[in-house]
Amino acid sequence: MNARIAFCVTLLGFVALQPASVDAQAVRREAAMRAQAAPTAAPDRAIRRDVPLTNAIRRAFDAGTRDFTGRPGPDYWQLGTDYTIEASLAPGTQTITGSETIEVHNTSPNEMTQIVLRLDHNLFRATVPRGSSVPAETTDGMVVTRISVDSQNVDLNAAPRGRGRGNQGPPRLAASGLDQTVARISLATPIAAGATATLEVEWHTKLPGGDTGRGHRMTQRWEDHLFQPTQWFPRVAKFDDLRGWDTSVYLGPAEFFNNFGRFDVRIDVPAGWIVSGTGVLQNPEEVLTATDRERLAGALDSDAITTIVGEDEVGPGRSTADGDRLEWHFVADQVNDFAWATAENFIWQVTRATIPGKGPVPIHMVYLPERASLFEGAGEITRHALEFYSELWAPYPFPQLTLQDGPSAGMEYPMVINSNRGAADHEAAHQWWPMMVGTNETWYGWMDEGFNQYMNILSGADRRGEEPNLDGRGQSYGNISGDETEPPMMWAANYGGPMYGFQTYRKTPLMLSMLGGIVGDEAVQDAISEYTDVWAFKHPSPWDFVFFMNEELGQDLSWFWYYWLWSTDSVDGSIQDVEVQGTETIVTVHQDGQMPSPVVLEVQFAADGPALRSMPNAQIVDDVTAIVTWPVDVWFGGSKTFEAELDFGSRRIEQITLDPHGRFPDRDPSDNVWTNR
């Protein structure tokens, strides 16, 4: 009884104290808010001046496969995979049935105890994880019916082994995850370093179609008369010196990271159906009419558009050779994928691009008659792209390029762009990355899509007969910096979230705009051209790119790369004060953000007055304008303010503008201008 009374008294006392406790918390919160709102002296900032190194890149440095020059190390290696594929399309069931042989060349210094397969068409199953993409149709996905390794059949139905003691047992040849986008084959006998294994796979897959697909590659046919297969066959996953097997699941939006190799592909379709795809057609005399072959023979004689198969040439014996079914044979060397398209009534046209040091290469276009207006001008846009980018970066390396009509009108593969004129320039640019420079789009989409967006700006200006203008782009990032949904560019693009498009596509041109503001746009482009040449048909990482650029530009720009790639910080510069002392003018520049930048001031003078006195860090633009620059080093001491001293003599200064070309991220450029009133 006494214990109960004591408890009640204690409880009543606790309740009685509540109002006072709540009031005290409110007072403390209000005081904290007032303290935050009150103006305070800006704290110093610590400028990070190195590039973060992950365990993966450290291992590569230790192994000698990569180094701080940004070039391939003396012991660089990459897996090779050569494919021989036979595939047959059944339009009635919308199904491809295929068999393939893959030669897996283990060029690594380590033995392989497993092979990882990519089965991207399993994204169309109902029970797999996916991102924002929505398949047009739920299918059975990639149905694998047989696998063998070096003629030994793989157990496709092996029960998974537990992790406990006694459950391991001897190695066995078995597959797991065949209903997912990433599958594994455990090997009873490892593939020795330097050895080659032969993998055989039999499979079938239905191509999804319908009106409900959302996202690229989610719709791969129009009913039963046009098919646009992509990522359509089992592929060996990427295996490299950084992480070993790449086991990132395919979620839909992010794209791919594949091995280079040779493709020998035979595609069986009904006669009358035109097939286009990666590689060079090996048997035109078996699948084309004599008229087709004659027209093709003269297609490279001029820039004119040559029609190989017209709208009224449909069916066996007219669009193709006669017969019931025909087998189209393509071969492609040194490519990282194979894509194709086919339709019963494609119009087929050809023009050319003239590549420096190589000569003319054909540009094929295949499209449906009712969509002809979408392809008007597409040949000319693509020609300009191939020729312009060949001069900008490196000569186009492949023997042909094909524009393919279909439901996914904005996607790229080696020698193939699924596009009409709308995205022709952008998709053609992808032939440099990742088709030539094999970047990892799944992790670092900015090295692919971002570089592409940058070069599209240059190409578009050239096509219009203008000088490219990158001003303002770097500064514009200040309006985005601080958005909580923005992932840093080094966050894996596969998990980019709602700002995947900005992180992967749009931020890189802003970054390279700022870089051009530091070293000059031409220097940036020359360095990327050299990078393209050095890493052609290899697989650079972000660290290779940034260290290569440091070497090529002759500056340690690690601070720059850190803030753009590993952070979402901005510069936020402003002019705080201007003080005139005789002939000297002291400009107090403030940077409120964590990212530093050089101090660039544009000084505008009165039209009349004494001649301008020279300054060692100034460029006299004209009689009334000078650009004065201080390097980023002025911030490395930690201060957020810098006093820029101007001494051009006694000519009156009318206006001073900080970052006049808009290259450095700034959320409020209105405080960058001082006017002498």
Side-chain angles (χ1 to χ4, degrees), residues 21-331:
S21 174
V22 170
D23 288 346
Q25 291 175 11
V27 168
R28 285 196 294 271
R29 283 198 299 269
E30 184 176 352
M33 291 172 64
R34 286 177 178 173
Q36 290 176 357
T40 58
D44 290 348
R45 58 178 173 176
I47 305 298
R48 181 156 184 176
R49 296 164 58 187
D50 66 322
V51 169
L53 300 179
T54 62
N55 293 338
I57 194 65
R58 289 181 189 275
R59 285 193 297 268
F61 284 168
D62 290 343
T65 56
R66 301 166 196 259
D67 60 39
F68 284 104
T69 67
R71 295 171 179 266
D75 297 317
Y76 177 82
W77 57 268
Q78 61 190 42
L79 192 71
T81 51
D82 297 328
Y83 291 78
T84 301
I85 303 174
E86 294 189 0
S88 179
L89 172 68
T93 60
Q94 302 94 44
T95 298
I96 301 173
T97 300
S99 63
E100 63 191 80
T101 300
I102 313 169
E103 298 293 324
V104 182
H105 307 286
N106 181 14
T107 54
S108 82
N110 305 308
E111 65 177 20
M112 286 182 178
T113 59
Q114 65 172 336
I115 296 174
V116 176
L117 291 180
R118 293 209 161 276
L119 306 176
D120 287 1
H121 265 216
N122 278 337
L123 191 75
F124 307 133
R125 292 176 183 255
T127 56
V128 297
R130 63 173 69 104
S132 59
S133 296
V134 178
E137 179 183 2
T138 299
T139 73
D140 292 333
M142 177 62 68
V143 180
V144 176
T145 56
R146 176 180 171 271
I147 304 176
S148 70
V149 178
D150 290 335
S151 301
Q152 299 297 309
N153 284 334
V154 175
D155 186 349
L156 306 186
N157 301 299
R161 282 175 169 164
R163 294 177 177 268
R165 260 182 158 178
N167 290 323
Q168 298 303 312
R172 58 180 179 172
L173 189 58
S176 61
L178 292 175
D179 61 343
Q180 300 297 304
T181 60
V182 176
R184 291 172 171 82
I185 303 170
S186 60
L187 301 175
T189 303
I191 305 170
T196 295
T198 300
L199 181 66
E200 295 179 345
V201 189
E202 295 177 2
W203 49 271
H204 59 82
T205 186
K206 181 180 180 182
L207 302 180
D211 300 327
T212 59
R214 186 173 72 241
H216 289 311
R217 308 171 296 276
M218 296 300 102
T219 307
Q220 299 197 358
R221 64 179 172 87
W222 278 328
E223 298 178 343
D224 59 359
H225 62 270
L226 182 148
F227 295 84
Q228 193 184 45
T230 56
Q231 295 160 231
W232 53 282
F233 59 96
R235 297 175 295 177
V236 172
K238 187 74 185 78
F239 183 79
D240 69 9
D241 58 312
L242 292 172
R243 301 180 187 89
W245 289 107
D246 177 23
T247 57
S248 301
V249 296
Y250 177 51
L251 296 175
E255 294 174 13
F256 48 75
F257 184 37
N258 292 332
N259 305 290
F260 286 110
R262 185 175 192 269
F263 281 79
D264 188 318
V265 180
R266 297 174 185 268
I267 300 168
D268 177 78
V269 298
W273 289 55
I274 292 170
V275 179
S276 63
T278 298
V280 175
L281 182 64
Q282 301 296 296
N283 60 338
E285 69 287 345
E286 296 177 6
V287 296
L288 302 181
T289 67
T291 301
D292 296 340
R293 298 196 300 272
E294 182 180 353
R295 292 169 179 170
L296 273 172
L300 298 185
D301 293 343
S302 73
D303 288 347
I305 303 293
T306 300
T307 298
I308 309 303
V309 176
E311 180 178 358
D312 59 345
E313 297 172 307
V314 178
R318 303 197 68 200
S319 57
T320 70
D322 207 351
D324 179 35
R325 296 184 67 89
L326 300 173
E327 184 178 76
W328 296 63
H329 182 198
F330 296 90
V331 170

